[in-house]
Each structure stands twice: as C-alpha cells, then as structure tokens.
Amino acid sequence: MSIESRRQRRAERRRIKDFVPSTPEEAKYHSALQRVKKIKGFYTHAMVFVVINTMIVILNIQNLDKGETYFQVKNFLTFFFWGIGLLVHGLSVFLPEMIFGQNWEERKIQELMEKDKNNKWE
C-alpha cells in the first residue's frame, strides 16, 4: 500500500466524517453508511479474533510437553479477555438498535418538540 493511497483513504474518511446532509435522503444514506462501517468493523474484529486464537491454540498444542494437558488457565487467558472485548464491541454495534428500535432518535425528537410546543408561554 503506497503512501498516496493511504492519504486518499484518510481524506475520504474525513469527508465522510465531516459530511453535512442537505436532504433527508442524504441523511438516511449517511446514517446507513455509518452503521455499515460499524458492522464491518465488528465482523473484521471477529475474524481476526478467530484466526489469531486458532494460531495460539495450534502453537500451544505444539509446545506441550509429553503427558501435559492442554487445559491450563494460561492457555485460555487471551481467548477469555479478548472474547470479553469482542462481546462488548458486538453489543455496542448491535444492542442500541435492539433496545431503541428503528428511528428512535427521530421519534424522540418529535416527542420533545411536541412537548416543548405544548409547554410554551403564550
């Protein structure tokens, strides 16, 4: 990967991050794009988790002494703690949608605007 391609990717990420939608369709597209990027990040994290932990298991099995059992605490520490991190990452990506549902922000904004409208001093 060249330095120029890295600069282009960085510039693209900045454009996406600083994007201000001018229409409701653009806002929906931008929101969906951000969501897809979060999901893709989680899947990448999960794939790296599986590959690296598989390699660790293989190396640990190869380095066992004769008669030694694999089931020792030290062989599961990386899997356990990284697994907690992966679980938290997954919850941060998928749980808000499950708890709040679709369009929760829009519904809450409308609710607060209506409440504010009804409580105005006239």
Side-chain angles (χ1 to χ4, degrees), residues 35 91-102 104 107:
R35 180 116 174 93
L91 292 176
S92 73
V93 170
F94 296 109
L95 194 60
E97 189 74 21
M98 289 180 209
I99 291 176
F100 298 121
Q102 294 180 339
W104 176 84
R107 290 192 318 262

Side-chain angles (χ1 to χ4, degrees), residues 41-85:
F42 172 73
Y43 288 148
T44 302
H45 187 182
M47 189 169 40
V48 170
F49 173 82
V50 168
V51 169
I52 297 298
N53 279 293
T54 302
M55 291 172 45
I56 290 172
V57 167
I58 291 169
L59 287 172
N60 286 341
I61 289 173
Q62 288 177 346
N63 291 329
L64 285 177
D65 293 331
K66 188 174 183 174
E68 186 179 15
T69 180
Y70 180 77
F71 298 101
Q72 300 172 22
V73 173
K74 66 179 183 178
N75 291 333
F76 295 100
L77 288 177
T78 302
F79 178 81
F80 178 73
F81 288 111
W82 193 353
I84 291 172

